[in-house]
Amino acid sequence: MISIELLKPFNYLFDSEIIENITKVSFLRTYNKTDIIIDIGQELNFIPLLIKGNIKVLREDNNGDELLLYVLESGDTCAMSLTCCMSKSVSKIRAVADEDVTVVMIPLENMRSWFNSNESWRDFILQSYQVRFDEMLETIDTLAFMKMDERLFKYLKDKVKLSASTDLKITHQEIAEDLHTSRVVISRLLKQLEKELKIKLGRNQIKILEF
Protein backbone atom coordinates (compact mmCIF):
# COMPACT_ATOMS: atom_id res chain seq x y z
CA MET A 1 0.00 0.00 0.00
CA ILE A 2 1.29 3.47 -0.88
CA SER A 3 0.51 6.90 0.55
CA ILE A 4 -2.36 8.86 -0.97
CA GLU A 5 -0.19 11.97 -0.61
CA LEU A 6 2.13 10.55 -3.26
CA LEU A 7 -0.68 10.59 -5.82
CA LYS A 8 -2.03 14.07 -5.08
CA PRO A 9 -0.22 15.58 -8.10
CA PHE A 10 -2.29 13.25 -10.28
CA ASN A 11 -5.72 14.40 -9.14
CA TYR A 12 -6.11 16.06 -12.54
CA LEU A 13 -5.78 12.61 -14.19
CA PHE A 14 -7.83 10.34 -11.94
CA ASP A 15 -10.97 10.56 -9.86
CA SER A 16 -10.88 9.90 -6.11
CA GLU A 17 -12.03 6.28 -6.52
CA ILE A 18 -9.06 5.35 -8.73
CA ILE A 19 -6.62 7.27 -6.54
CA GLU A 20 -7.78 5.28 -3.52
CA ASN A 21 -7.70 1.98 -5.42
CA ILE A 22 -4.14 2.61 -6.63
CA THR A 23 -2.96 3.20 -3.06
CA LYS A 24 -4.47 -0.12 -1.96
CA VAL A 25 -3.19 -2.52 -4.61
CA SER A 26 0.04 -0.98 -5.95
CA PHE A 27 3.60 -0.81 -4.67
CA LEU A 28 6.40 1.71 -5.02
CA ARG A 29 9.72 1.07 -6.76
CA THR A 30 12.77 3.31 -7.16
CA TYR A 31 15.49 2.97 -9.79
CA ASN A 32 18.84 4.64 -10.31
CA LYS A 33 19.93 6.20 -13.60
CA THR A 34 20.62 3.53 -16.29
CA ASP A 35 18.71 0.82 -14.36
CA ILE A 36 16.53 -1.37 -16.59
CA ILE A 37 12.89 -1.14 -15.49
CA ILE A 38 11.36 -3.31 -18.21
CA ASP A 39 13.45 -5.52 -20.50
CA ILE A 40 12.88 -7.12 -23.88
CA GLY A 41 11.34 -10.57 -23.51
CA GLN A 42 10.14 -9.89 -19.97
CA GLU A 43 6.68 -11.09 -18.95
CA LEU A 44 4.74 -8.17 -17.52
CA ASN A 45 2.43 -8.49 -14.53
CA PHE A 46 2.43 -4.79 -13.60
CA ILE A 47 2.30 -1.51 -15.50
CA PRO A 48 4.44 1.42 -14.35
CA LEU A 49 2.99 4.84 -13.50
CA LEU A 50 5.88 7.28 -13.43
CA ILE A 51 5.90 9.48 -10.33
CA LYS A 52 9.30 11.15 -10.60
CA GLY A 53 12.08 11.31 -13.20
CA ASN A 54 12.28 10.31 -16.89
CA ILE A 55 12.36 6.89 -18.55
CA LYS A 56 13.76 6.12 -22.01
CA VAL A 57 11.84 3.55 -24.06
CA LEU A 58 14.10 1.73 -26.53
CA ARG A 59 13.96 -0.87 -29.29
CA GLU A 60 16.84 -3.21 -30.05
CA ASP A 61 17.94 -4.55 -33.45
CA ASN A 62 19.42 -7.95 -34.24
CA ASN A 63 22.93 -6.63 -33.54
CA GLY A 64 22.01 -5.45 -30.05
CA ASP A 65 22.04 -1.75 -31.01
CA GLU A 66 19.30 0.39 -29.44
CA LEU A 67 17.04 3.07 -30.88
CA LEU A 68 15.22 5.62 -28.71
CA LEU A 69 11.45 5.55 -29.35
CA TYR A 70 10.21 8.07 -26.80
CA VAL A 71 10.74 9.37 -23.25
CA LEU A 72 8.25 9.07 -20.40
CA GLU A 73 7.76 11.91 -17.91
CA SER A 74 6.00 12.22 -14.56
CA GLY A 75 2.38 11.09 -14.86
CA ASP A 76 3.07 8.89 -17.91
CA THR A 77 2.80 5.19 -18.43
CA CYS A 78 4.28 3.12 -21.25
CA ALA A 79 1.79 2.27 -24.00
CA MET A 80 4.03 -0.54 -25.20
CA SER A 81 3.86 -2.21 -21.78
CA LEU A 82 0.08 -1.67 -21.75
CA THR A 83 -0.17 -3.45 -25.10
CA CYS A 84 1.90 -6.38 -23.86
CA CYS A 85 -0.18 -6.65 -20.69
CA MET A 86 -3.48 -6.57 -22.58
CA SER A 87 -2.33 -9.17 -25.12
CA LYS A 88 -0.52 -11.29 -22.48
CA SER A 89 2.67 -11.18 -24.55
CA VAL A 90 6.25 -10.49 -23.47
CA SER A 91 7.78 -7.02 -23.68
CA LYS A 92 9.11 -5.89 -27.05
CA ILE A 93 10.83 -2.80 -25.62
CA ARG A 94 13.42 -1.89 -22.99
CA ALA A 95 12.59 0.86 -20.48
CA VAL A 96 15.66 2.44 -18.88
CA ALA A 97 15.85 5.10 -16.17
CA ASP A 98 17.18 8.29 -17.78
CA GLU A 99 17.72 9.68 -14.26
CA ASP A 100 16.78 8.47 -10.78
CA VAL A 101 13.09 7.57 -10.97
CA THR A 102 10.17 6.57 -8.77
CA VAL A 103 7.34 4.49 -10.20
CA VAL A 104 4.10 3.02 -8.90
CA MET A 105 3.58 -0.55 -10.11
CA ILE A 106 -0.08 -1.31 -10.80
CA PRO A 107 -1.13 -5.01 -11.06
CA LEU A 108 -2.33 -6.16 -14.46
CA GLU A 109 -5.65 -7.51 -13.22
CA ASN A 110 -6.58 -4.15 -11.69
CA MET A 111 -5.59 -2.26 -14.83
CA ARG A 112 -8.04 -4.39 -16.82
CA SER A 113 -10.94 -4.23 -14.38
CA TRP A 114 -10.62 -0.46 -13.93
CA PHE A 115 -10.64 0.02 -17.70
CA ASN A 116 -14.14 -1.46 -17.82
CA SER A 117 -15.48 0.20 -14.68
CA ASN A 118 -13.92 3.67 -14.36
CA GLU A 119 -14.11 6.48 -16.90
CA SER A 120 -11.10 8.49 -15.66
CA TRP A 121 -8.85 5.42 -15.80
CA ARG A 122 -10.18 4.44 -19.25
CA ASP A 123 -9.55 7.98 -20.53
CA PHE A 124 -6.02 7.88 -19.13
CA ILE A 125 -5.20 4.57 -20.86
CA LEU A 126 -6.64 5.66 -24.20
CA GLN A 127 -4.90 9.02 -24.04
CA SER A 128 -1.62 7.28 -23.20
CA TYR A 129 -1.96 5.14 -26.32
CA GLN A 130 -2.62 8.23 -28.44
CA VAL A 131 0.29 10.27 -27.05
CA ARG A 132 2.78 7.43 -27.42
CA PHE A 133 1.50 6.67 -30.93
CA ASP A 134 2.02 10.30 -31.93
CA GLU A 135 5.53 10.22 -30.47
CA MET A 136 6.39 7.08 -32.40
CA LEU A 137 5.14 8.68 -35.62
CA GLU A 138 7.39 11.64 -34.86
CA THR A 139 10.31 9.25 -34.37
CA ILE A 140 9.59 7.59 -37.73
CA ASP A 141 9.34 10.99 -39.46
CA THR A 142 12.63 12.05 -37.89
CA LEU A 143 14.38 8.91 -39.12
CA ALA A 144 12.86 9.11 -42.60
CA PHE A 145 13.03 12.81 -43.37
CA MET A 146 15.71 14.47 -41.22
CA LYS A 147 19.45 14.51 -41.77
CA MET A 148 21.58 13.41 -38.82
CA ASP A 149 22.57 16.96 -37.83
CA GLU A 150 18.89 17.94 -37.71
CA ARG A 151 18.04 14.83 -35.69
CA LEU A 152 20.84 15.61 -33.26
CA PHE A 153 19.78 19.20 -32.67
CA LYS A 154 16.12 18.16 -32.24
CA TYR A 155 17.26 15.52 -29.74
CA LEU A 156 19.16 18.14 -27.73
CA LYS A 157 16.22 20.55 -27.73
CA ASP A 158 13.88 17.78 -26.58
CA LYS A 159 16.34 17.05 -23.75
CA VAL A 160 16.17 20.71 -22.71
CA LYS A 161 12.37 20.50 -22.49
CA LEU A 162 12.52 17.33 -20.39
CA SER A 163 15.15 18.60 -17.97
CA ALA A 164 13.95 22.24 -17.90
CA SER A 165 17.60 23.26 -18.19
CA THR A 166 19.78 24.41 -21.08
CA ASP A 167 22.79 22.69 -19.47
CA LEU A 168 22.76 18.99 -20.35
CA LYS A 169 25.03 16.53 -18.57
CA ILE A 170 25.47 13.86 -21.21
CA THR A 171 28.29 12.12 -23.04
CA HIS A 172 28.78 11.84 -26.79
CA GLN A 173 28.49 8.06 -26.44
CA GLU A 174 25.10 8.29 -24.71
CA ILE A 175 23.79 10.49 -27.52
CA ALA A 176 25.17 8.12 -30.14
CA GLU A 177 23.41 5.16 -28.53
CA ASP A 178 20.08 7.00 -28.39
CA LEU A 179 20.33 8.10 -32.03
CA HIS A 180 21.61 4.73 -33.25
CA THR A 181 24.85 6.04 -34.72
CA SER A 182 28.56 6.21 -33.83
CA ARG A 183 30.25 8.42 -31.25
CA VAL A 184 32.61 9.75 -33.95
CA VAL A 185 29.68 11.01 -36.01
CA ILE A 186 28.06 12.65 -32.98
CA SER A 187 31.31 14.34 -31.91
CA ARG A 188 31.79 15.75 -35.42
CA LEU A 189 28.23 17.05 -35.63
CA LEU A 190 28.39 18.57 -32.14
CA LYS A 191 31.49 20.53 -33.15
CA GLN A 192 29.61 21.69 -36.24
CA LEU A 193 26.69 22.87 -34.09
CA GLU A 194 29.15 24.67 -31.82
CA LYS A 195 30.64 26.51 -34.82
CA GLU A 196 27.09 27.56 -35.75
CA LEU A 197 26.73 29.00 -32.20
CA LYS A 198 23.79 26.71 -31.42
CA ILE A 199 25.56 24.93 -28.55
CA LYS A 200 28.62 25.22 -26.33
CA LEU A 201 30.57 22.05 -25.54
CA GLY A 202 32.11 21.19 -22.16
CA ARG A 203 33.40 18.02 -20.51
CA ASN A 204 30.44 15.61 -20.55
CA GLN A 205 28.23 18.68 -20.75
CA ILE A 206 26.45 20.60 -23.51
CA LYS A 207 24.91 24.04 -23.16
CA ILE A 208 22.13 24.77 -25.63
CA LEU A 209 22.31 28.35 -26.88
CA GLU A 210 19.51 28.24 -29.44
CA PHE A 211 16.18 26.46 -29.08
Side-chain angles (χ1 to χ4, degrees), residues 94-113:
R94 177 174 293 123
V96 179
D98 197 29
E99 55 187 65
D100 293 350
V101 301
T102 302
V103 295
V104 169
M105 293 297 198
I106 301 173
L108 170 60
E109 59 268 22
N110 297 105
M111 183 200 85
R112 287 174 170 166
S113 64

mmCIF file with all atom_site columns, all heavy atoms in Angstrom, residues 94-113:
data_model
loop_
_atom_site.group_PDB
_atom_site.id
_atom_site.type_symbol
_atom_site.label_atom_id
_atom_site.label_alt_id
_atom_site.label_comp_id
_atom_site.label_asym_id
_atom_site.label_entity_id
_atom_site.label_seq_id
_atom_site.pdbx_PDB_ins_code
_atom_site.Cartn_x
_atom_site.Cartn_y
_atom_site.Cartn_z
_atom_site.occupancy
_atom_site.B_iso_or_equiv
_atom_site.pdbx_formal_charge
_atom_site.auth_seq_id
_atom_site.auth_comp_id
_atom_site.auth_asym_id
_atom_site.auth_atom_id
_atom_site.pdbx_PDB_model_num
ATOM 1   N N   . ARG A 1 94  ? 12.630  -2.013  -24.224 1.00 0.00 ? 94  ARG A N   1
ATOM 2   C CA  . ARG A 1 94  ? 13.423  -1.892  -22.993 1.00 0.00 ? 94  ARG A CA  1
ATOM 3   C C   . ARG A 1 94  ? 13.171  -0.496  -22.420 1.00 0.00 ? 94  ARG A C   1
ATOM 4   O O   . ARG A 1 94  ? 13.303  0.505   -23.140 1.00 0.00 ? 94  ARG A O   1
ATOM 5   C CB  . ARG A 1 94  ? 14.902  -2.098  -23.297 1.00 0.00 ? 94  ARG A CB  1
ATOM 6   C CG  . ARG A 1 94  ? 15.817  -1.908  -22.079 1.00 0.00 ? 94  ARG A CG  1
ATOM 7   C CD  . ARG A 1 94  ? 17.256  -2.279  -22.415 1.00 0.00 ? 94  ARG A CD  1
ATOM 8   N NE  . ARG A 1 94  ? 17.380  -3.714  -22.685 1.00 0.00 ? 94  ARG A NE  1
ATOM 9   C CZ  . ARG A 1 94  ? 17.867  -4.223  -23.823 1.00 0.00 ? 94  ARG A CZ  1
ATOM 10  N NH1 . ARG A 1 94  ? 18.284  -3.418  -24.787 1.00 0.00 ? 94  ARG A NH1 1
ATOM 11  N NH2 . ARG A 1 94  ? 17.947  -5.534  -23.991 1.00 0.00 ? 94  ARG A NH2 1
ATOM 12  N N   . ALA A 1 95  ? 12.798  -0.426  -21.163 1.00 0.00 ? 95  ALA A N   1
ATOM 13  C CA  . ALA A 1 95  ? 12.589  0.857   -20.483 1.00 0.00 ? 95  ALA A CA  1
ATOM 14  C C   . ALA A 1 95  ? 13.722  1.063   -19.496 1.00 0.00 ? 95  ALA A C   1
ATOM 15  O O   . ALA A 1 95  ? 13.941  0.235   -18.607 1.00 0.00 ? 95  ALA A O   1
ATOM 16  C CB  . ALA A 1 95  ? 11.245  0.867   -19.756 1.00 0.00 ? 95  ALA A CB  1
ATOM 17  N N   . VAL A 1 96  ? 14.459  2.171   -19.670 1.00 0.00 ? 96  VAL A N   1
ATOM 18  C CA  . VAL A 1 96  ? 15.657  2.443   -18.882 1.00 0.00 ? 96  VAL A CA  1
ATOM 19  C C   . VAL A 1 96  ? 15.526  3.792   -18.181 1.00 0.00 ? 96  VAL A C   1
ATOM 20  O O   . VAL A 1 96  ? 15.078  4.777   -18.796 1.00 0.00 ? 96  VAL A O   1
ATOM 21  C CB  . VAL A 1 96  ? 16.913  2.453   -19.783 1.00 0.00 ? 96  VAL A CB  1
ATOM 22  C CG1 . VAL A 1 96  ? 18.162  2.765   -18.970 1.00 0.00 ? 96  VAL A CG1 1
ATOM 23  C CG2 . VAL A 1 96  ? 17.064  1.119   -20.501 1.00 0.00 ? 96  VAL A CG2 1
ATOM 24  N N   . ALA A 1 97  ? 15.907  3.847   -16.919 1.00 0.00 ? 97  ALA A N   1
ATOM 25  C CA  . ALA A 1 97  ? 15.854  5.104   -16.169 1.00 0.00 ? 97  ALA A CA  1
ATOM 26  C C   . ALA A 1 97  ? 16.843  6.102   -16.774 1.00 0.00 ? 97  ALA A C   1
ATOM 27  O O   . ALA A 1 97  ? 18.039  5.828   -16.844 1.00 0.00 ? 97  ALA A O   1
ATOM 28  C CB  . ALA A 1 97  ? 16.171  4.860   -14.702 1.00 0.00 ? 97  ALA A CB  1
ATOM 29  N N   . ASP A 1 98  ? 16.332  7.248   -17.214 1.00 0.00 ? 98  ASP A N   1
ATOM 30  C CA  . ASP A 1 98  ? 17.184  8.294   -17.783 1.00 0.00 ? 98  ASP A CA  1
ATOM 31  C C   . ASP A 1 98  ? 17.797  9.154   -16.677 1.00 0.00 ? 98  ASP A C   1
ATOM 32  O O   . ASP A 1 98  ? 18.729  9.917   -16.909 1.00 0.00 ? 98  ASP A O   1
ATOM 33  C CB  . ASP A 1 98  ? 16.354  9.165   -18.740 1.00 0.00 ? 98  ASP A CB  1
ATOM 34  C CG  . ASP A 1 98  ? 17.225  9.996   -19.658 1.00 0.00 ? 98  ASP A CG  1
ATOM 35  O OD1 . ASP A 1 98  ? 18.346  9.565   -19.967 1.00 0.00 ? 98  ASP A OD1 1
ATOM 36  O OD2 . ASP A 1 98  ? 16.784  11.092  -20.066 1.00 0.00 ? 98  ASP A OD2 1
ATOM 37  N N   . GLU A 1 99  ? 17.236  9.049   -15.496 1.00 0.00 ? 99  GLU A N   1
ATOM 38  C CA  . GLU A 1 99  ? 17.723  9.675   -14.264 1.00 0.00 ? 99  GLU A CA  1
ATOM 39  C C   . GLU A 1 99  ? 17.115  8.868   -13.132 1.00 0.00 ? 99  GLU A C   1
ATOM 40  O O   . GLU A 1 99  ? 16.402  7.894   -13.386 1.00 0.00 ? 99  GLU A O   1
ATOM 41  C CB  . GLU A 1 99  ? 17.307  11.147  -14.198 1.00 0.00 ? 99  GLU A CB  1
ATOM 42  C CG  . GLU A 1 99  ? 15.805  11.357  -14.349 1.00 0.00 ? 99  GLU A CG  1
ATOM 43  C CD  . GLU A 1 99  ? 15.425  12.835  -14.443 1.00 0.00 ? 99  GLU A CD  1
ATOM 44  O OE1 . GLU A 1 99  ? 15.806  13.489  -15.425 1.00 0.00 ? 99  GLU A OE1 1
ATOM 45  O OE2 . GLU A 1 99  ? 14.743  13.309  -13.513 1.00 0.00 ? 99  GLU A OE2 1
ATOM 46  N N   . ASP A 1 100 ? 17.397  9.199   -11.889 1.00 0.00 ? 100 ASP A N   1
ATOM 47  C CA  . ASP A 1 100 ? 16.775  8.466   -10.778 1.00 0.00 ? 100 ASP A CA  1
ATOM 48  C C   . ASP A 1 100 ? 15.260  8.620   -10.859 1.00 0.00 ? 100 ASP A C   1
ATOM 49  O O   . ASP A 1 100 ? 14.752  9.748   -11.010 1.00 0.00 ? 100 ASP A O   1
ATOM 50  C CB  . ASP A 1 100 ? 17.284  8.995   -9.436  1.00 0.00 ? 100 ASP A CB  1
ATOM 51  C CG  . ASP A 1 100 ? 18.771  8.701   -9.226  1.00 0.00 ? 100 ASP A CG  1
ATOM 52  O OD1 . ASP A 1 100 ? 19.340  7.934   -10.019 1.00 0.00 ? 100 ASP A OD1 1
ATOM 53  O OD2 . ASP A 1 100 ? 19.348  9.251   -8.272  1.00 0.00 ? 100 ASP A OD2 1
ATOM 54  N N   . VAL A 1 101 ? 14.539  7.505   -10.785 1.00 0.00 ? 101 VAL A N   1
ATOM 55  C CA  . VAL A 1 101 ? 13.092  7.570   -10.966 1.00 0.00 ? 101 VAL A CA  1
ATOM 56  C C   . VAL A 1 101 ? 12.355  6.834   -9.844  1.00 0.00 ? 101 VAL A C   1
ATOM 57  O O   . VAL A 1 101 ? 12.897  5.940   -9.194  1.00 0.00 ? 101 VAL A O   1
ATOM 58  C CB  . VAL A 1 101 ? 12.656  6.969   -12.329 1.00 0.00 ? 101 VAL A CB  1
ATOM 59  C CG1 . VAL A 1 101 ? 13.308  7.690   -13.489 1.00 0.00 ? 101 VAL A CG1 1
ATOM 60  C CG2 . VAL A 1 101 ? 12.943  5.488   -12.395 1.00 0.00 ? 101 VAL A CG2 1
ATOM 61  N N   . THR A 1 102 ? 11.095  7.241   -9.676  1.00 0.00 ? 102 THR A N   1
ATOM 62  C CA  . THR A 1 102 ? 10.174  6.571   -8.766  1.00 0.00 ? 102 THR A CA  1
ATOM 63  C C   . THR A 1 102 ? 8.929   6.200   -9.557  1.00 0.00 ? 102 THR A C   1
ATOM 64  O O   . THR A 1 102 ? 8.366   7.040   -10.269 1.00 0.00 ? 102 THR A O   1
ATOM 65  C CB  . THR A 1 102 ? 9.769   7.496   -7.601  1.00 0.00 ? 102 THR A CB  1
ATOM 66  O OG1 . THR A 1 102 ? 10.951  7.919   -6.900  1.00 0.00 ? 102 THR A OG1 1
ATOM 67  C CG2 . THR A 1 102 ? 8.834   6.789   -6.644  1.00 0.00 ? 102 THR A CG2 1
ATOM 68  N N   . VAL A 1 103 ? 8.519   4.942   -9.466  1.00 0.00 ? 103 VAL A N   1
ATOM 69  C CA  . VAL A 1 103 ? 7.338   4.490   -10.195 1.00 0.00 ? 103 VAL A CA  1
ATOM 70  C C   . VAL A 1 103 ? 6.400   3.736   -9.263  1.00 0.00 ? 103 VAL A C   1
ATOM 71  O O   . VAL A 1 103 ? 6.832   3.093   -8.302  1.00 0.00 ? 103 VAL A O   1
ATOM 72  C CB  . VAL A 1 103 ? 7.698   3.589   -11.395 1.00 0.00 ? 103 VAL A CB  1
ATOM 73  C CG1 . VAL A 1 103 ? 8.469   4.352   -12.450 1.00 0.00 ? 103 VAL A CG1 1
ATOM 74  C CG2 . VAL A 1 103 ? 8.475   2.367   -10.948 1.00 0.00 ? 103 VAL A CG2 1
ATOM 75  N N   . VAL A 1 104 ? 5.118   3.837   -9.556  1.00 0.00 ? 104 VAL A N   1
ATOM 76  C CA  . VAL A 1 104 ? 4.100   3.021   -8.903  1.00 0.00 ? 104 VAL A CA  1
ATOM 77  C C   . VAL A 1 104 ? 3.787   1.861   -9.831  1.00 0.00 ? 104 VAL A C   1
ATOM 78  O O   . VAL A 1 104 ? 3.489   2.059   -11.012 1.00 0.00 ? 104 VAL A O   1
ATOM 79  C CB  . VAL A 1 104 ? 2.834   3.849   -8.619  1.00 0.00 ? 104 VAL A CB  1
ATOM 80  C CG1 . VAL A 1 104 ? 1.688   2.933   -8.200  1.00 0.00 ? 104 VAL A CG1 1
ATOM 81  C CG2 . VAL A 1 104 ? 3.097   4.879   -7.529  1.00 0.00 ? 104 VAL A CG2 1
ATOM 82  N N   . MET A 1 105 ? 3.875   0.648   -9.335  1.00 0.00 ? 105 MET A N   1
ATOM 83  C CA  . MET A 1 105 ? 3.583   -0.545  -10.115 1.00 0.00 ? 105 MET A CA  1
ATOM 84  C C   . MET A 1 105 ? 2.145   -0.986  -9.854  1.00 0.00 ? 105 MET A C   1
ATOM 85  O O   . MET A 1 105 ? 1.789   -1.320  -8.724  1.00 0.00 ? 105 MET A O   1
ATOM 86  C CB  . MET A 1 105 ? 4.557   -1.667  -9.758  1.00 0.00 ? 105 MET A CB  1
ATOM 87  C CG  . MET A 1 105 ? 5.995   -1.383  -10.165 1.00 0.00 ? 105 MET A CG  1
ATOM 88  S SD  . MET A 1 105 ? 6.163   -1.217  -11.959 1.00 0.00 ? 105 MET A SD  1
ATOM 89  C CE  . MET A 1 105 ? 7.936   -1.455  -12.158 1.00 0.00 ? 105 MET A CE  1
ATOM 90  N N   . ILE A 1 106 ? 1.337   -0.984  -10.911 1.00 0.00 ? 106 ILE A N   1
ATOM 91  C CA  . ILE A 1 106 ? -0.084  -1.310  -10.802 1.00 0.00 ? 106 ILE A CA  1
ATOM 92  C C   . ILE A 1 106 ? -0.319  -2.713  -11.365 1.00 0.00 ? 106 ILE A C   1
ATOM 93  O O   . ILE A 1 106 ? 0.052   -2.988  -12.509 1.00 0.00 ? 106 ILE A O   1
ATOM 94  C CB  . ILE A 1 106 ? -0.941  -0.280  -11.564 1.00 0.00 ? 106 ILE A CB  1
ATOM 95  C CG1 . ILE A 1 106 ? -0.693  1.130   -10.998 1.00 0.00 ? 106 ILE A CG1 1
ATOM 96  C CG2 . ILE A 1 106 ? -2.415  -0.647  -11.489 1.00 0.00 ? 106 ILE A CG2 1
ATOM 97  C CD1 . ILE A 1 106 ? -1.356  2.232   -11.791 1.00 0.00 ? 106 ILE A CD1 1
ATOM 98  N N   . PRO A 1 107 ? -0.914  -3.625  -10.598 1.00 0.00 ? 107 PRO A N   1
ATOM 99  C CA  . PRO A 1 107 ? -1.126  -5.008  -11.064 1.00 0.00 ? 107 PRO A CA  1
ATOM 100 C C   . PRO A 1 107 ? -1.987  -5.064  -12.323 1.00 0.00 ? 107 PRO A C   1
ATOM 101 O O   . PRO A 1 107 ? -2.932  -4.286  -12.491 1.00 0.00 ? 107 PRO A O   1
ATOM 102 C CB  . PRO A 1 107 ? -1.836  -5.679  -9.879  1.00 0.00 ? 107 PRO A CB  1
ATOM 103 C CG  . PRO A 1 107 ? -1.450  -4.858  -8.691  1.00 0.00 ? 107 PRO A CG  1
ATOM 104 C CD  . PRO A 1 107 ? -1.349  -3.446  -9.205  1.00 0.00 ? 107 PRO A CD  1
ATOM 105 N N   . LEU A 1 108 ? -1.655  -6.001  -13.187 1.00 0.00 ? 108 LEU A N   1
ATOM 106 C CA  . LEU A 1 108 ? -2.333  -6.162  -14.462 1.00 0.00 ? 108 LEU A CA  1
ATOM 107 C C   . LEU A 1 108 ? -3.836  -6.364  -14.310 1.00 0.00 ? 108 LEU A C   1
ATOM 108 O O   . LEU A 1 108 ? -4.639  -5.770  -15.027 1.00 0.00 ? 108 LEU A O   1
ATOM 109 C CB  . LEU A 1 108 ? -1.714  -7.365  -15.206 1.00 0.00 ? 108 LEU A CB  1
ATOM 110 C CG  . LEU A 1 108 ? -2.414  -7.864  -16.454 1.00 0.00 ? 108 LEU A CG  1
ATOM 111 C CD1 . LEU A 1 108 ? -2.493  -6.771  -17.505 1.00 0.00 ? 108 LEU A CD1 1
ATOM 112 C CD2 . LEU A 1 108 ? -1.693  -9.086  -17.006 1.00 0.00 ? 108 LEU A CD2 1
ATOM 113 N N   . GLU A 1 109 ? -4.230  -7.215  -13.353 1.00 0.00 ? 109 GLU A N   1
ATOM 114 C CA  . GLU A 1 109 ? -5.653  -7.514  -13.221 1.00 0.00 ? 109 GLU A CA  1
ATOM 115 C C   . GLU A 1 109 ? -6.464  -6.280  -12.844 1.00 0.00 ? 109 GLU A C   1
ATOM 116 O O   . GLU A 1 109 ? -7.619  -6.121  -13.273 1.00 0.00 ? 109 GLU A O   1
ATOM 117 C CB  . GLU A 1 109 ? -5.891  -8.637  -12.197 1.00 0.00 ? 109 GLU A CB  1
ATOM 118 C CG  . GLU A 1 109 ? -5.387  -8.349  -10.788 1.00 0.00 ? 109 GLU A CG  1
ATOM 119 C CD  . GLU A 1 109 ? -3.964  -8.838  -10.576 1.00 0.00 ? 109 GLU A CD  1
ATOM 120 O OE1 . GLU A 1 109 ? -3.244  -9.006  -11.570 1.00 0.00 ? 109 GLU A OE1 1
ATOM 121 O OE2 . GLU A 1 109 ? -3.597  -9.047  -9.405  1.00 0.00 ? 109 GLU A OE2 1
ATOM 122 N N   . ASN A 1 110 ? -5.876  -5.381  -12.053 1.00 0.00 ? 110 ASN A N   1
ATOM 123 C CA  . ASN A 1 110 ? -6.576  -4.149  -11.690 1.00 0.00 ? 110 ASN A CA  1
ATOM 124 C C   . ASN A 1 110 ? -6.661  -3.195  -12.871 1.00 0.00 ? 110 ASN A C   1
ATOM 125 O O   . ASN A 1 110 ? -7.694  -2.534  -13.089 1.00 0.00 ? 110 ASN A O   1
ATOM 126 C CB  . ASN A 1 110 ? -5.865  -3.460  -10.524 1.00 0.00 ? 110 ASN A CB  1
ATOM 127 C CG  . ASN A 1 110 ? -5.862  -4.301  -9.267  1.00 0.00 ? 110 ASN A CG  1
ATOM 128 O OD1 . ASN A 1 110 ? -4.848  -4.879  -8.906  1.00 0.00 ? 110 ASN A OD1 1
ATOM 129 N ND2 . ASN A 1 110 ? -7.005  -4.395  -8.598  1.00 0.00 ? 110 ASN A ND2 1
ATOM 130 N N   . MET A 1 111 ? -5.584  -3.108  -13.649 1.00 0.00 ? 111 MET A N   1
ATOM 131 C CA  . MET A 1 111 ? -5.595  -2.257  -14.833 1.00 0.00 ? 111 MET A CA  1
ATOM 132 C C   . MET A 1 111 ? -6.755  -2.634  -15.753 1.00 0.00 ? 111 MET A C   1
ATOM 133 O O   . MET A 1 111 ? -7.467  -1.772  -16.276 1.00 0.00 ? 111 MET A O   1
ATOM 134 C CB  . MET A 1 111 ? -4.273  -2.403  -15.585 1.00 0.00 ? 111 MET A CB  1
ATOM 135 C CG  . MET A 1 111 ? -4.147  -1.512  -16.802 1.00 0.00 ? 111 MET A CG  1
ATOM 136 S SD  . MET A 1 111 ? -2.894  -2.094  -17.967 1.00 0.00 ? 111 MET A SD  1
ATOM 137 C CE  . MET A 1 111 ? -3.837  -3.289  -18.909 1.00 0.00 ? 111 MET A CE  1
ATOM 138 N N   . ARG A 1 112 ? -6.968  -3.927  -15.927 1.00 0.00 ? 112 ARG A N   1
ATOM 139 C CA  . ARG A 1 112 ? -8.037  -4.391  -16.818 1.00 0.00 ? 112 ARG A CA  1
ATOM 140 C C   . ARG A 1 112 ? -9.421  -4.110  -16.242 1.00 0.00 ? 112 ARG A C   1
ATOM 141 O O   . ARG A 1 112 ? -10.314 -3.630  -16.947 1.00 0.00 ? 112 ARG A O   1
ATOM 142 C CB  . ARG A 1 112 ? -7.876  -5.895  -17.059 1.00 0.00 ? 112 ARG A CB  1
ATOM 143 C CG  . ARG A 1 112 ? -6.718  -6.247  -17.980 1.00 0.00 ? 112 ARG A CG  1
ATOM 144 C CD  . ARG A 1 112 ? -6.554  -7.751  -18.049 1.00 0.00 ? 112 ARG A CD  1
ATOM 145 N NE  . ARG A 1 112 ? -5.621  -8.144  -19.081 1.00 0.00 ? 112 ARG A NE  1
ATOM 146 C CZ  . ARG A 1 112 ? -5.100  -9.349  -19.184 1.00 0.00 ? 112 ARG A CZ  1
ATOM 147 N NH1 . ARG A 1 112 ? -5.436  -10.275 -18.295 1.00 0.00 ? 112 ARG A NH1 1
ATOM 148 N NH2 . ARG A 1 112 ? -4.251  -9.654  -20.142 1.00 0.00 ? 112 ARG A NH2 1
ATOM 149 N N   . SER A 1 113 ? -9.610  -4.412  -14.969 1.00 0.00 ? 113 SER A N   1
ATOM 150 C CA  . SER A 1 113 ? -10.939 -4.228  -14.378 1.00 0.00 ? 113 SER A CA  1
ATOM 151 C C   . SER A 1 113 ? -11.310 -2.754  -14.302 1.00 0.00 ? 113 SER A C   1
ATOM 152 O O   . SER A 1 113 ? -12.469 -2.383  -14.547 1.00 0.00 ? 113 SER A O   1
ATOM 153 C CB  . SER A 1 113 ? -10.997 -4.877  -12.991 1.00 0.00 ? 113 SER A CB  1
ATOM 154 O OG  . SER A 1 113 ? -10.102 -4.237  -12.097 1.00 0.00 ? 113 SER A OG  1
#
